[in-house]
Amino acid sequence: MTDFRADDPRPNSLEARDKASVVHGLTNLRRHMEAGPKVIESGRGVMVRDVEGKDYIEGMSGLWCISLGYGEKRLVKACSEQMEKLAYGHLTNGRSHPPVIELAEKLVSIAPMPTARVWFANSGSESADCAARLCWYYWNAAGKPERRKFLAHRKAYHGNTIASASLTGADYAHDQFNLPLDGFLHVRCPDFFDEGAPGETEADFTARLLRELEERILAEGPETIAAFFTEPILAAGGVIVPPEGYFEGLQAILRRYDILLVADEVVTAFGRTGEMFGSTTMGLSPDLLVCAKGLSSAYFPISALLINGRVFEAMLAQSDRLPLFGLTMTYSGHPVGAAVAREAIRIYEEDEIVERVRRLEPVFFDALRRRLGGIDVVGLIRGRGLLAGVRLVESRAPRRFFAPERRFGPAVAQAAERNGLFVRAIGDTIALCPPLIIDEREIGMLVERLGDAIETAARSL
Ligand SMILES: Cc1ncc(COP(=O)(O)O)c(C=O)c1O
């Protein structure tokens, strides 16, 4: 086994100790042994500081999650007060506690679903996993146990547990992990920019996608399909906003074949798109809805799965046959997470965060278009609310994409980091998902630093 610390000129540095002890996700592990970690020590508002004392605008809210920014004292207080009062409680055998009741009630009152019940878990992946299991549970209760298959989009990200990674439409989540599981099927991504055929209009592309979807359902046998999972906007796929009319057509097909719809709002819920839920922005009426991240503004790991009346009635009916509802997790509905999430929603409401996002959306996109629109390698700027993707291309006309081995997107992200800005390169799309508390001056700084980074990376091509 290589001793990475022995070779390091600073063997006791945090960087060397990290390399010798920590395993990093979404990271090339071999390259990490050369490059080492970026160690972040503190954060305030939209800024984080590394151990060398350098400041960065956190243009990605960490992993699309710290929506209310760093150092939000109300969340710290909610957390410590709840820890003092009842540090742990669970929901098995009918036990409950006030924070979880209050949070569930609040979620039900704001959810874009007419009737809902709430199941809690600790991460988006777990809730997506539970959603898949509840779809099976539902169809078994409905006397249709053959409805076992799931549909999701290529490029979609639904998590990294076994079922949620199977739903995820990205090779990196499957390769060498023996995934996806059987029956987790992927259909074309509604990404007109990348997937549209030459000369095809957006409307034609949408019609083609819907035709392909229906053909796939018929080929698989509609009676074998349990549910379709989709994000309202495909965030980790490259901030892909499905075209006008796509979700309307998709939902009509799902209704025709009685297939459940699961909305994965792990990124889009709680104001990100300019509505409390992305389903409202994008016109989705889900049977099940998964949320996490912004739910507690990432101050505590908690996720929620909203279940509509139709599915809950079937779960209830199963309890007439089975001794108990068999889903459980030690930390499901953790009182500290529930108290922090309840306080976060209070802040979203009292500080009018949704209205703020609506007001800042044109400021953000106008600034992006003004600063980046003229750069040759910027092919498209897309998104909603305070969620954007900048699609980089080798040539705009005729449209030519960079070969993936050029790693142009990552070069831009690295240049941005040198400029004091964290963004995420998803292939050659630069994702932006700043904390929702960002102000106009900080938006200006973010966009300026990104523009400089793209120009620097383009000059070194
Ligand atoms: C849309 C979506 N669903 C699910 C997940 C998984 O959430 P978690 O990382 O909390 O398990 C993510 C994480 O980025 C996500 O973006």
Side-chain angles (χ1 to χ4, degrees):
M1 188 74 185
T2 321
D3 182 352
F4 290 98
R5 283 180 73 180
D7 298 340
D8 202 291
R10 294 159 63 211
N12 295 321
S13 65
L14 284 166
E15 289 79 359
R17 288 160 58 197
D18 172 283
K19 286 197 282 180
S21 58
V22 182
V23 180
H24 294 266
L26 285 193
T27 300
N28 181 296
L29 299 180
R30 183 67 66 196
R31 222 179 288 139
H32 182 72
M33 295 307 164
E34 299 295 319
K38 164 80 54 200
V39 186
I40 304 300
E41 194 168 54
S42 61
R44 263 297 164 276
V46 302
M47 306 297 295
V48 289
R49 179 169 294 175
D50 70 16
V51 284
E52 312 289 331
K54 181 174 161 101
D55 291 322
Y56 304 82
I57 301 173
E58 185 32 287
M60 272 299 294
S61 299
L63 285 177
W64 328 80
C65 54
I66 187 149
S67 301
L68 294 172
Y70 291 87
E72 173 47 75
K73 293 215 164 37
R74 285 180 63 175
L75 297 179
V76 177
K77 185 159 176 273
C79 181
S80 66
E81 283 181 359
Q82 187 56 46
M83 278 193 175
E84 291 273 2
K85 194 166 182 180
L86 180 72
Y88 174 70
H90 64 85
L91 304 181
T92 71
N93 293 306
R95 285 270 193 97
S96 198
H97 50 75
V100 88
I101 297 168
E102 279 182 34
L103 175 61
E105 219 171 51
K106 185 68 203 175
L107 284 170
V108 168
S109 77
I110 60 175
M113 296 160 82
T115 53
R117 292 280 204 295
V118 191
W119 167 260
F120 290 101
N122 310 293
S123 65
S125 301
E126 276 179 5
S127 273
D129 224 280
C130 291
R133 284 182 63 184
L134 284 192
C135 290
W136 283 337
Y137 201 77
Y138 169 81
W139 286 117
N140 286 332
K144 297 183 176 169
E146 63 285 359
R147 282 198 183 256
R148 297 181 59 87
K149 294 179 192 166
F150 294 105
L151 290 165
H153 292 115
R154 268 181 230 126
K155 299 193 200 174
Y157 189 82
H158 294 297
N160 240 307
T161 51
I162 288 182
S164 66
S166 295
L167 289 162
T168 289
D171 291 344
Y172 65 78
H174 302 155
D175 271 357
Q176 306 302 314
F177 288 117
N178 297 345
L179 295 176
L181 296 177
D182 285 348
F184 286 73
L185 314 171
H186 295 97
V187 297
R188 190 184 301 281
C189 183
D191 177 355
F192 179 54
F193 191 79
D194 278 39
E195 301 278 340
E200 192 175 42
T201 65
E202 194 167 66
D204 289 345
F205 172 69
T206 303
R208 171 159 68 92
L209 247 56
L210 295 173
R211 224 172 25 249
E212 284 176 1
L213 171 64
E214 188 156 17
E215 284 165 8
R216 181 69 184 272
I217 290 171
L218 291 170
E220 295 289 339
E223 70 290 350
T224 68
I225 300 180
F228 195 112
F229 276 66
T230 187
E231 299 158 77
I233 292 173
L234 286 80
V239 191
I240 295 154
V241 184
E244 194 72 37
Y246 174 69
F247 278 140
E248 201 184 318
L250 179 135
Q251 290 177 100
I253 294 171
L254 299 186
R255 276 193 300 274
R256 191 171 310 142
Y257 299 107
D258 201 18
I259 295 168
L260 297 172
L261 174 63
V262 184
D264 180 344
E265 293 236 26
V266 168
V267 170
T268 52
F270 307 107
R272 178 57 61 190
T273 65
E275 295 281 354
M276 199 50 123
F277 289 86
S279 288
T280 309
T281 307
M282 299 303 293
L284 287 175
S285 304
D287 296 293
L288 297 162
L289 186 153
V290 180
C291 55
K293 298 195 192 261
L295 172 58
S296 65
S297 183
Y299 277 60
F300 200 90
I302 180 168
S303 65
L305 169 58
L306 278 62
I307 303 163
N308 77 357
R310 171 186 175 185
V311 176
F312 184 72
E313 283 303 321
M315 290 161 62
L316 213 49
Q318 280 291 45
S319 276
D320 297 333
R321 293 187 275 274
L322 300 172
L324 39 79
F325 176 59
L327 206 55
T328 177
M329 289 155 189
T330 304
Y331 302 126
S332 172
H334 196 293
V336 179
V340 172
R342 182 65 194 89
E343 187 68 1
I345 298 175
R346 245 178 238 121
I347 298 174
Y348 290 123
E349 291 188 334
E350 289 169 16
D351 291 359
E352 300 183 338
I353 294 290
V354 171
E355 293 74 10
R356 180 189 177 89
V357 173
R358 272 192 218 142
R359 184 171 53 75
L360 287 177
E361 176 173 1
V363 176
F364 184 46
F365 281 93
D366 287 351
L368 285 169
R369 292 202 179 96
R370 222 176 308 117
R371 176 66 181 87
L372 312 182
I375 305 176
D376 283 344
V377 294
V378 173
L380 181 73
I381 297 165
R382 61 190 169 207
R384 286 281 189 290
L386 287 177
L387 179 62
V390 179
R391 180 68 171 95
L392 303 164
V393 292
E394 186 167 23
S395 156
R396 280 205 277 221
R399 186 175 305 158
R400 222 176 28 249
F401 299 120
F402 285 109
E405 54 278 14
R406 299 278 287 274
R407 295 180 53 78
F408 185 66
V412 170
Q414 276 160 19
E417 206 169 295
R418 287 195 295 274
N419 290 351
L421 168 66
F422 283 144
V423 295
R424 167 103 170 259
I426 300 165
D428 289 327
T429 298
I430 299 300
L432 299 168
C433 182
L436 306 178
I437 53 148
I438 195 167
D439 63 24
E440 287 167 32
R441 186 185 61 87
E442 291 161 336
I443 287 177
M445 278 163 49
L446 180 159
V447 170
E448 199 47 47
R449 289 178 193 188
L450 177 60
D452 291 350
I454 297 174
E455 284 167 349
T456 304
R459 269 198 302 275
S460 65
L461 274 171

